[in-house]
Amino acid sequence: MKNLIAEHQKKWAVCVAKAWADEDYKQRLISDPATVLTKEGLPVPDGMKIKVVENTRQVFHMVLPESPDSKEGAIENVEERLAAMSCLCLCLLGSIQALGDALTGGLLGD
């Protein structure tokens, strides 16, 4: 399972790189993600709707995860869950800030 997740992450990274390099590919990924992802070797279950959105310097999308099937222990474990999610969000926001800095002249120049 761990290898499968890593494989899917790599394939998604390829999709992102292609979208950054090719505006037409990006528009296809946004408008018809299931088809594009399937062509890239990322399985999409029948009937599943996928929405791809793009973050910008002014807009950052955050996904609210689906509520777990079992509500048992949800309140007791909320601090651990929030801490893990906060760490992820801060890491993502830090990455976005670094990318924004690079794009505005930091690493990539003018």
Side-chain angles (χ1 to χ4, degrees), residues 72-82:
E72 189 174 317
I75 298 299
E76 293 79 11
N77 297 329
V78 73
E79 287 183 13
E80 290 176 21
R81 292 174 191 225
L82 287 174

